[in-house]
Amino acid sequence: MSFHPSPDPPKAKKRVLIVEDEAMIAFMVEESLNEGGFEVAGVAGRLETALTFIELGQFDAAVLDSNLAGVSAGPAAAALRALGRPFVVVSGYLPSQQQEVFVGAPCIQKPYDPQSLIDLLRDILDWPRLD
Amino acid sequence: MLTEANGEDSRATSDLDEQCYRHLLESIEQGFSLIELIHDSAGRAVDYRFLKTNQAFERQTGLMNVIGKTALEVVPDLEPQWVETYARVAQTGEPFAFEQGSLAMGRVFRIEAVGLDGTGSQKVALIFSDITESRRSEQRLIKKAESLRLALEAAEMGVWDWNFETGENTWNDAMYLMLGLKPNAVPASYETWIGRVHPADLVALEIRFAESLRFDGEFRAEYRVLGPHDTVRWVAARGRTASDTKGKIIRSYGVVTDVSARKIINQDLRISETRYRRLFECAHDGVIILDSGTRRIIDANPFMTNLLGYETAELVGKELYEIGLLKDDAASRSMIEDLKRNNQVRYDNLPLESRTGRHQEVEVIANLYDEGNRPVIQCNIRDITERKRSEEHLKMLMAEVNHRAKNLLAVVQAIANQTAKEGLPETFSARLSARIVALAAGQDLLVRNQWQGVQLSELVAAQLDHFRDWIGTRVLLSGPSVEMQPDAAQGIGMALHELGTNAAKYGALSNGEGKVFINWEVDDVPVPTFSMSWVERGGPKVITPVRLGFGQTVIGRMAKAAVQGDAGISFAEEGLRWSLSAPAENVLTRSNLARS
C-alpha cells in the first residue's frame, strides 16, 4: 500500500482576538471579522482580560487597541510578541505619538475602513487577500 | 703859595667831596635830581631847570641828558602841579613827600622834595622812588578782591564772616537770598542762620559748628534750609576759623553753596541703584555679569547662585565654561566674537549641571553693553526645565485629544454602519442623528466633569431628555448617588437612549399611562457589585421581536461590554425588562469606590 498524502483539509478559520475597550467599535470589528472569514476568539475590553486571553493562547492573531480605558496596552503587545502571535495595532494616536512598544507592528489609524483591517490581518497571517 | 696851596687844597677837598657825593648818588636806588625853579616876569614859578641828576633818575624817568634843560623842554606837556609843588617847597623850606603819577611819563612816583640853601632858595633836591610797580600790584589786589566778589556773586555763593570780638556778623547778599531772606532785611546772626535750617538737620549742624569753634577745625556741612519761597534746598557750607596770637578763636568765616541739584542727582542715582539692585536680587532669572575682556564673572545674582549651587564669591572670577554653562574655552571665545558682531547672543537650550549634579535646561540671552568705562556682558539665564516639562505635557495632552477624537469618530463610524444595516434607508439620517445626539450628550457630561466621571442620575436625565416632563411621574428613578467611569457612562448611556427610543415607539411610553421604573444599587456582598434595571409596566402588550436590531444589540451587548458584566433583556407580556450587573470597580469611579 502506498502512502498517499491526503489532500489539504479545508482551511480552518483563523481565530482573532479583539482587544478593544470601546464596545461599539469592538462590535463593529467583530462583525467585520465574521464577514471577512475570521472567527472571533474573544473580545477583551481591559488589559487584565486581554492578558488572560493571551496567556490561554487560543488564537492566531490579535487586533490590539493601544489604549484600554486610559491604560496603555503595551504589556499586551509585549505578551503577544513573547508568544509569537502577530497583531495589528489600532490607535487614535499619530504614529509619532505612538509608544515605543508598538513601533514595528502594523498599525492602522482610527477611524478606519473595516476592509483595511481585514487586509492587514490576512497579510500578517500569510493569507491571500480577498478580492 | 700857601694860600694858593690852600686854595688848591680846598679845591682838592671839594673835588673829593664832589666825587664822594657823586658816587653816593649813583649807588642809591632812588632817582635824584637837583632843580632850580624858573619864574616868569610876574615872579610866578613856571618851569624848572635840571642842575644835577643821577643814573637812577634816568632809569626811572626815562629822561636822558637833561642837565641844563628845563622840564618843559624835556616833557613839553608836563602837568603844572609838579612845578607848583616844587615852588611851594622852595618857598616854605618844608620838606614835602608826595605820590604823584605822571600820565606824560606813564609812571607813578613817591617824591621827597627838600629845599636847599634855606627859605626862599630856588633850588630843590628831589628824591624819586618809582612806585609804579607796587602801585600796580596794589591795584591788582583791589581788582582781585573785586573779581572775587563778582565771582562769589556769579556763583551765588553765600559768604559769612563772624567776628567774635566785635560780635559783628557779615553776610553778602547771596547768603541772605540762599536762606530765603531779603538782603539786610534782618541782622546777620547765628540765630537768623539757624532759624532757617531744616529741623531735621538742626541738631547735627549746631553740634558740628560748635565743634569747629572748639577745635579750630574746618567746618564742613551739608544741610537743608528753607530757601527762596520757603522751598527746601540743600546747601553745602565750608568754613574756617581764625585765631589771635594767643590761639584764641576770634573769627569764623566761609562760603555756602546751593547743592540741591547735585543732591537730587545723587538721590536719583541712589534710588535707581536701589531699584536695579533689587531687580537683580529678586529676579526669577539668573543674571551673570561678565567682563568682556577677560570673560570672567564680575557678579551673579542670588537666583543664579541657587541655580548653580555656588556662592557669588565662588563664581566671581570664573569663566562660563568653568561653571558648566558653556562646553569649553573655545565656546566661550566664540560667544564673545558673536557678541561683538551682534551685541546679543541667544542660546535656546543649554544643558546646565548644578554643583550637586542636578540637570537643568536653560535659555541664555547675553547682551554686550558699555558700563561707562568698560564693556561688560550681561547674561540672563532662564531655567526652562519647567517649561520643557509643560511642553511635554502639552504634547501628551494633544496626543490624548487626538486619540479621543479619533476613537469617537470610530464609534460614530460603528454606529453609522450598524444604523444603516438596521432599517430603511429613508429613516437612516434621523436614526443616526438621534444616536449621535445621545452620544454627544454623554460627551457633554464627561467634559463637564473633566472626563473624571458622571453622576448616573444626570446620565439618565440627559439620555431621557425627550421625556423630562415625565420624570418623577411616568419615569421613576431610584438609586443612590453613583459616579460612573467614562466608558461605563458611555455604554450605559447608549443603552438608556435605545431603551427610551424603544419605549416611546413600542413600549410603556408609547401610550398614555405606561410607566418606566429605573433602579440601581451597589451591593457589597459577596463582592462590590453594581446593578441596574429598566422595567416597563402598563404599556401595550409586548411582542418579542423576530430580529435583533441594533438597538437591542446596544441594550444587550454594548452595555455588557462597556462594564464587563452581564446584561439581559426579556420581553415579558406585561412589559420589557432590562437588567445589568457588573463588578462595581468596572462601573464606579475610584473616588466613588473609596467612598462606598
Side-chain angles (χ1 to χ4, degrees):
Chain A
M1 242 177 98
S2 61
F3 178 77
H4 294 286
S6 61
D8 284 350
K11 262 189 185 159
K13 280 188 174 176
K14 293 283 184 184
R15 292 168 56 82
V16 176
L17 171 65
I18 300 172
V19 182
E20 168 66 64
D21 62 329
E22 200 65 64
M24 196 72 69
I25 299 170
F27 181 60
M28 182 181 76
V29 172
E30 220 176 310
E31 285 212 325
S32 323
L33 290 183
N34 285 332
E35 284 166 16
F38 292 94
E39 187 183 331
V40 174
V43 179
R46 305 289 152 116
L47 180 62
E48 306 86 76
T49 326
L51 290 173
T52 310
F53 271 113
I54 295 167
E55 207 177 318
L56 294 172
Q58 304 292 310
F59 58 94
D60 301 299
V63 175
L64 183 63
D65 183 4
S66 63
N67 183 309
L68 300 169
V71 177
S72 164
L80 287 167
R81 285 216 167 97
L83 198 64
R85 296 287 151 80
F87 59 97
V88 173
V89 177
V90 282
S91 167
Y93 297 105
L94 289 171
S96 63
Q97 297 166 336
Q98 201 62 268
Q99 278 184 287
E100 193 142 348
V101 66
F102 300 109
V103 174
C107 180
I108 23 176
Q109 285 268 307
K110 281 182 181 176
Y112 54 88
D113 172 10
Q115 188 56 47
S116 60
L117 176 66
I118 303 298
D119 289 347
L120 255 182
L121 279 170
R122 287 183 166 268
D123 285 351
I124 63 173
L125 286 167
D126 246 355
W127 265 22
R129 289 190 177 196
L130 294 174
D131 291 318
Chain B
M1 277 301 283
L2 189 73
T3 315
E4 267 190 32
N6 278 350
E8 279 191 2
D9 252 16
S10 81
R11 221 173 15 255
T13 312
S14 169
D15 281 353
L16 189 67
D17 285 350
E18 175 69 20
Q19 257 181 8
C20 202
Y21 288 134
R22 173 129 311 264
H23 183 73
L24 186 69
L25 283 177
E26 291 306 331
S27 65
I28 60 171
E29 284 279 314
Q30 282 88 353
F32 169 80
S33 73
L34 180 64
I35 57 163
E36 184 182 28
L37 288 153
I38 299 169
H39 298 85
D40 62 6
S41 50
R44 201 156 44 100
V46 289
D47 198 356
Y48 54 86
R49 190 180 305 279
F50 292 100
L51 300 179
K52 266 189 171 58
T53 61
N54 68 352
Q55 282 177 11
F57 172 86
E58 292 190 340
R59 226 178 19 249
Q60 286 182 357
T61 61
L63 306 174
M64 311 298 246
N65 306 316
V66 295
I67 294 171
K69 292 178 183 160
T70 74
L72 287 174
E73 281 169 2
V74 177
V75 186
D77 49 355
L78 184 75
E79 292 88 349
Q81 60 263 37
W82 293 93
V83 180
E84 287 160 18
T85 305
Y86 298 150
R88 197 166 58 244
V89 170
Q91 201 93 48
T92 59
E94 295 281 321
F96 185 65
F98 62 98
E99 286 176 11
Q100 182 76 48
S102 166
L103 275 179
M105 288 187 284
R107 310 204 69 79
V108 181
F109 299 103
R110 176 181 166 78
I111 301 146
E112 286 159 84
V114 184
L116 287 186
D117 305 331
T119 311
S121 159
Q122 298 310 309
K123 288 183 185 165
V124 179
L126 304 171
I127 307 288
F128 292 78
S129 305
D130 187 340
I131 56 166
T132 313
E133 277 315 307
S134 70
R135 262 307 171 83
R136 269 188 197 151
S137 50
E138 261 174 46
Q139 211 61 59
R140 272 202 294 272
L141 270 179
I142 291 166
K143 266 200 185 138
K144 225 175 182 177
E146 175 63 12
S147 44
L148 181 65
R149 191 183 66 78
L150 289 172
L152 288 174
E153 263 169 30
E156 291 172 339
M157 239 179 213
V159 180
W160 86 87
D161 188 350
W162 185 10
N163 187 322
F164 303 129
E165 296 206 303
T166 63
E168 197 185 359
N169 202 335
T170 317
W171 292 355
N172 69 349
D173 289 356
M175 181 78 182
Y176 277 100
L177 293 172
M178 203 165 288
L179 296 176
L181 299 170
K182 226 172 110 192
N184 303 307
V186 286
S189 72
Y190 181 79
E191 288 70 29
T192 310
W193 173 50
I194 281 302
R196 303 297 295 172
V197 172
H198 193 285
D201 297 336
L202 192 61
V203 176
L205 184 66
E206 285 200 284
I207 291 173
R208 191 171 296 184
F209 187 72
E211 278 175 353
S212 84
L213 299 187
R214 204 173 320 145
F215 306 114
D216 187 20
E218 257 199 354
F219 170 62
R220 276 170 187 257
E222 287 193 356
Y223 54 95
R224 280 160 289 179
V225 296
L226 277 180
H229 316 295
D230 282 347
T231 53
V232 174
R233 307 291 295 173
W234 274 97
V235 297
R238 295 186 64 173
R240 293 191 152 280
T241 50
S243 315
D244 63 11
T245 47
K246 289 174 200 146
K248 186 181 163 209
I249 293 170
I250 52 164
R251 240 176 106 196
S252 160
Y253 59 95
V255 293
V256 183
T257 45
D258 189 320
V259 293
S260 303
R262 170 167 65 75
K263 274 281 177 183
I264 288 164
I265 288 169
N266 279 349
Q267 201 170 330
D268 285 354
L269 264 178
R270 249 200 324 277
I271 290 170
S272 163
E273 161 67 15
T274 311
R275 187 175 298 157
Y276 287 101
R277 184 41 65 172
R278 200 172 299 145
L279 265 179
F280 183 74
E281 302 289 347
C282 302
H284 273 267
D285 274 356
V287 181
I288 290 181
I289 311 287
L290 295 176
D291 185 308
S292 80
T294 64
R295 299 190 300 277
R296 292 183 186 284
I297 296 172
I298 303 169
D299 202 356
N301 71 342
F303 190 88
M304 194 65 223
T305 56
N306 286 342
L307 202 63
L308 290 167
Y310 289 98
E311 295 297 315
T312 308
E314 294 175 282
L315 291 177
V316 169
K318 287 207 169 67
E319 290 202 40
L320 288 187
Y321 70 87
E322 292 178 275
I323 59 170
L325 198 53
L326 290 173
K327 199 169 79 234
D328 49 24
D329 186 47
S332 180
R333 279 171 197 280
S334 118
M335 180 184 94
I336 303 283
E337 288 311 307
D338 264 16
L339 267 174
K340 282 182 182 156
R341 269 195 304 278
N342 308 316
N343 282 323
Q344 196 189 67
V345 176
R346 185 190 175 107
Y347 300 99
D348 284 330
N349 198 353
L350 284 183
L352 179 69
E353 197 181 313
S354 77
R355 182 185 232 171
T356 55
R358 186 160 55 99
H359 285 277
Q360 292 148 106
E361 308 254 20
V362 295
E363 172 191 85
V364 177
I365 299 171
N367 282 289
L368 181 71
Y369 66 95
D370 217 33
E371 206 178 55
N373 51 357
R374 60 175 171 184
V376 297
I377 298 166
Q378 181 186 318
C379 302
N380 284 47
I381 293 111
R382 187 167 298 165
D383 185 349
I384 55 167
T385 316
E386 213 30 63
R387 193 175 80 196
K388 284 260 154 186
R389 205 172 289 155
S390 66
E391 277 172 10
E392 287 301 318
H393 184 65
L394 192 64
K395 228 184 258 175
M396 196 272 282
L397 278 181
M398 286 173 69
E400 206 46 42
V401 165
N402 190 29
H403 157 76
R404 283 190 180 161
K406 299 263 200 67
N407 223 28
L408 195 59
L409 284 173
V411 171
V412 171
Q413 184 190 28
I415 291 172
N417 277 340
Q418 298 306 319
T419 306
K421 282 179 190 165
E422 163 203 60
L424 296 168
E426 299 86 73
T427 59
F428 169 74
S429 173
R431 284 178 287 124
L432 180 62
S433 294
R435 284 178 174 141
I436 289 176
V437 168
L439 191 61
Q443 290 286 317
D444 282 347
L445 286 177
L446 283 170
V447 169
R448 205 179 301 153
N449 297 299
Q450 277 96 45
W451 219 268
Q452 296 305 306
V454 175
Q455 278 293 326
L456 180 49
S457 53
E458 282 180 41
L459 182 68
V460 173
Q463 293 298 354
L464 301 183
D465 193 45
H466 285 324
F467 317 111
R468 61 175 171 268
D469 293 343
W470 291 342
I471 289 179
T473 54
R474 297 185 61 191
V475 179
L476 300 158
L477 314 180
S478 102
S481 163
V482 163
E483 196 178 54
M484 310 181 85
Q485 295 172 19
D487 288 346
Q490 187 170 300
I492 292 173
M494 290 299 287
L496 287 170
H497 168 76
E498 296 299 336
L499 285 164
T501 307
N502 186 67
K505 260 191 202 159
Y506 316 108
L509 302 178
S510 67
N511 64 10
E513 62 260 21
K515 287 184 178 177
V516 177
F517 300 87
I518 305 169
N519 297 302
W520 64 88
E521 56 191 12
V522 181
D523 282 328
D524 278 342
V525 186
V527 286
T529 305
F530 168 82
S531 56
M532 185 173 184
S533 62
W534 169 293
V535 178
E536 295 183 21
R537 287 286 181 273
K541 195 175 160 197
V542 174
I543 301 152
T544 307
V546 186
R547 203 173 68 88
L548 269 180
F550 173 59
Q552 277 135 48
T553 308
V554 169
I555 295 164
R557 293 187 53 187
M558 289 297 98
K560 184 177 150 187
V563 296
Q564 308 282 299
D566 287 319
I569 186 163
S570 70
F571 300 94
E573 263 188 31
E574 66 271 24
L576 179 146
R577 183 187 174 87
W578 170 82
S579 62
L580 173 84
S581 76
E585 57 174 15
N586 293 352
V587 182
L588 307 189
T589 59
R590 260 182 225 149
S591 57
N592 197 150
L593 281 170
R595 273 203 305 277
S596 56

